Amino acid sequence: MEEMEEELKCPVCGSLFREPIILPCSHNICLACARNILVQTPDTESPQSSRASGSGVSDYDYLDLDKMSLYSEADSGYGSYGGFASVPTTPCQKSPNGVRVFPPTVPPPPPQHHLLLQPGSFPSIPRNSCITCPQCHRSLNLDDRGLRGFPKNRVLEGVVDRYQQSKAAALRCQLCEKSPKEATVMCEQCDVFYCDPCRLRCHPPRGPLAKHHLVPPAQGRVSRRLSPRKISTCTEHELENHSMYCVQCKIPVCYQCLEEGKHSSHEVKALGAMWKLHKGQLSLALNILSDRAKEAKEFLVQLRNMVQQIQENSVELEACLVAQCDALIDALNRRKAQLLSRVNKEHEHKLKVVRDQISHCTVKLRQTTGLMEYCLEVIKENDPSGFLQISDALIRRVHMTENQWGKATLTPRMTTDFDLTLDSGPLLQTIHQLDFVQMKVPSPVPATPILQLEECCTNNNSATLSWKQPPLSTVQVDGYILELDDGNGGQFREVYVGKETMCTVDGLHFNSTYSSRVKAFNKSGVGQYSKTLVMQTAETGYNSCVLNTVGAVAWFTFDPSSAHPDIIFSNDNLTVTCNSYDDRVVLGNTGFSRGVHYWELSVDRYDNHPDPAFGVARADVLKDVMLGKDDKAWAMYVDNNRSWFMHNNSHTNRTDGGISKGTTVGVLLDLAHGTLTFSVNDEQQGPIAFDSMEGLFLPAISLNRNVQVTLHTGLPIPEFHTARNPEPPSSVC
């Protein structure tokens, strides 16, 4: 409506029409203005004689003096007129909008006479009066009815009334999400009306926005209507408009900037073309983001359904638990309370996780919706230069928001099932041991000892060995048996029997290779031998390193000092998991720069199909992203169906075959040939993952709270590598 205001103004007074009448030429004029521009024609002077007797050139000599035929009142509803005549030679004046009109030749009636007229009434008009249309300049003589012969334009009068009502209505904020509040300011640069909360949130008075000019809404509407949209000018050449766009600098430029050579080596494109290109990119990104928002809404429905299902499953499990405990009422009352407490904790934990995820996704969705609405308003921007000044930031922000709705975000962080089963079969004398079923079968004999390589070494012709029991073993150990061969590959012989977990053997041959192993025993029997450790004594009396038959033995653990704080260690730093849903990185405590090294990681727990990553990294790798996202790590990340290799956020060699609970992932670092290879369950996974590997590398993995892995080191080189590289590399520390 504001753009139509000029069409609703009288051509004589320049104001909005008041009681408009329709002239025979179809133009409109206010009734009061029609009375003001009447011209009386003398009775003795005909139009032809007046025109001929003019002493000078009349301002209206150029007018069309042809007579217009009028429809009868019965045909069209218009009144009959006396017809048009040529115009008398009366001097003309100009109205407020620049249209020339005739002044009245007869004195106007006294003011009090005008006050007595009712609205819409017509005063008496002198005979032989003439009126000239101020727009097309056609003239006509009025008949006896005078101005009463012109019909009123009721439709135009109604349009003017509605327009004035719309102007009086309060301006509303353009950024309110639901019920728009009354606007308090308008930004002349953004061309947006804001209420106070939206102004503080979307247009804070800091940074570049501090230079914007805020005006009252009424003033802003007037300036928007009266002032044509400003064309953005160059910041360095204020008199020049932007005409081109520098792709490298990502700013609009004028032709004078180009002539001065400031962008001579840059790619420059037309401003309109880049405007359309960026609008298309933003629209495409918004479409993708809209799809993500739709998926997020469906995901929230799924999460809310999970809350009800968790509650139902919790009630069912509690009822079953109470029924079983009631059968052993006297002996099981105290234990029953403990078990119920565990179920309730699990119940609360699941609900808390799901509700936290609902809250998290709701906030993200609200932010996404707000960004979408703001971008849609920006797309409506008609100023290419102003749009391009913010389009890049908006496109990046939309892509960043779209990336936040990834698979991990739209995957439930908790299952609805309770993995707890109560077995009521044990006898009453074992009631105090009653617990949820644990899938553990204790061994009657001691578990296999673990050699602690970091404490094993040789010094001249002596060898020191150290071992320990597995941390999860509960079987009693009465002692250990340490065995060495003769240094020439002969039979093993016992060199130590006792309860100590460290032993130094003296009197060995120099420049000899000894194999050693240890086992534990108790009253039930003797356990399994440990892995065989091969050690080389010194040639002439200096320290040597621990070797295996094909290269350097890689015995190490995870390093708590360099790991992300969210990593949880157990099993003497051999087992790790995480307390965060985001991927976190943990490194080994030993680095490798030469030789061939192989280690394995067994998957102890794998829930909700996460993507753990295995590989190697530099010491300064990022610890709060997936392994392989930066250029400091080389990794294979794998889910339950397939795997990819990744370095510097580049994904290659998708390979079918994933992991699950109980899977073993092998990592083979061959620095003799500069390669990194992976295996899953003793089968090579894909081709050689990376080559040209040089420098110092640390074993590394990344995982979240849905994964737990255990590290196994000091292993022989797998067969697929020895078949590919039959010649053994030189052994180094």
Side-chain angles (χ1 to χ4, degrees), residues 77-98:
Y78 290 101
S80 300
Y81 302 92
F84 291 102
S86 49
V87 182
T89 58
T90 304
C92 65
Q93 297 177 348
K94 289 188 177 181
S95 66
N97 61 353

Side-chain angles (χ1 to χ4, degrees), residues 557-570 573-580 582-590 617-625 627 698-703 709:
T557 64
F558 291 117
D559 183 16
S561 63
S562 63
H564 192 278
D566 291 340
I567 296 295
I568 301 174
F569 294 85
S570 60
N573 300 334
L574 291 174
T575 301
V576 292
T577 185
C578 180
N579 60 13
S580 171
D582 296 321
D583 290 307
R584 301 298 188 233
V585 173
V586 57
L587 303 176
N589 61 0
T590 301
R618 307 292 189 191
D620 56 345
V621 66
L622 295 177
K623 305 295 195 318
D624 56 354
V625 296
L627 194 67
L698 295 165
I701 64 169
S702 67
L703 72 173
V709 300

Side-chain angles (χ1 to χ4, degrees), residues 149-176:
F150 296 99
K152 293 185 178 181
N153 194 336
R154 302 292 186 185
V155 175
L156 178 58
E157 188 174 12
V159 171
V160 172
D161 290 340
R162 291 185 59 185
Y163 174 72
Q164 290 177 326
Q165 292 174 4
S166 67
K167 286 184 62 178
L171 293 171
R172 298 294 177 180
C173 176
Q174 295 178 275
L175 296 182
C176 289

Side-chain angles (χ1 to χ4, degrees), residues 4-17:
M4 295 174 55
E5 182 169 347
E6 293 301 323
E7 303 294 331
L8 304 179
K9 290 183 177 180
C10 174
V12 176
C13 63
S15 301
L16 295 176
F17 282 109

Side-chain angles (χ1 to χ4, degrees), residues 372-385:
M372 291 170 58
E373 293 178 354
Y374 179 69
C375 291
L376 290 175
E377 291 295 328
V378 173
I379 288 181
K380 297 177 183 177
E381 173 63 44
N382 294 324
D383 180 11
S385 176

Side-chain angles (χ1 to χ4, degrees), residues 447-592:
T448 303
I450 297 175
L451 289 168
Q452 295 183 281
L453 184 65
E454 61 273 15
E455 297 180 11
C456 298
C457 63
T458 60
N459 184 15
N460 294 328
N461 64 338
S462 298
T464 299
L465 296 99
S466 178
W467 60 88
K468 65 179 181 179
Q469 275 293 104
L472 299 180
S473 175
T474 59
V475 181
Q476 169 142 6
V477 176
D478 294 338
Y480 301 91
I481 301 174
L482 175 63
E483 296 181 355
L484 265 69
D485 67 358
D486 60 359
N488 293 317
Q491 295 182 352
F492 283 91
R493 53 191 174 88
E494 294 182 1
V495 296
Y496 172 75
V497 177
K499 295 183 178 181
E500 300 295 332
T501 58
M502 178 177 288
C503 177
T504 299
V505 182
D506 298 323
L508 303 177
H509 297 288
F510 283 101
N511 196 23
S512 299
T513 301
Y514 288 89
S515 298
S516 58
R517 62 189 184 185
V518 64
K519 60 184 178 181
F521 63 88
N522 61 10
K523 296 179 180 179
S524 299
V526 180
Q528 297 293 324
Y529 284 106
S530 68
K531 295 176 181 179
T532 300
L533 181 64
V534 180
M535 298 184 295
Q536 174 77 40
T537 57
E539 292 183 355
T540 57
Y542 55 83
N543 293 343
S544 64
C545 62
V546 179
L547 305 175
N548 63 18
T549 56
V550 293
V553 176
W555 287 71
F556 57 89
T557 64
F558 291 117
D559 183 16
S561 63
S562 63
H564 192 278
D566 291 340
I567 296 295
I568 301 174
F569 294 85
S570 60
N571 191 16
D572 287 345
N573 300 334
L574 291 174
T575 301
V576 292
T577 185
C578 180
N579 60 13
S580 171
Y581 286 107
D582 296 321
D583 290 307
R584 301 298 188 233
V585 173
V586 57
L587 303 176
N589 61 0
T590 301
F592 309 110

Side-chain angles (χ1 to χ4, degrees), residues 37-42 45-54 58-68 82-90 102 105 128-133 137-142:
I37 64 174
L38 284 175
V39 178
Q40 184 177 5
T41 304
E45 182 177 347
S46 66
Q48 289 82 3
S49 63
S50 298
R51 185 181 180 192
S53 63
S58 172
D59 289 332
Y60 283 81
D61 285 347
Y62 67 93
L63 299 177
D64 180 13
L65 303 180
D66 293 340
K67 295 184 178 181
M68 298 178 61
F84 291 102
S86 49
V87 182
T89 58
T90 304
F102 283 113
T105 58
N128 300 327
S129 296
C130 173
I131 189 170
T132 301
C133 176
H137 305 293
R138 293 183 182 273
S139 301
L140 71 150
N141 290 325
L142 275 65

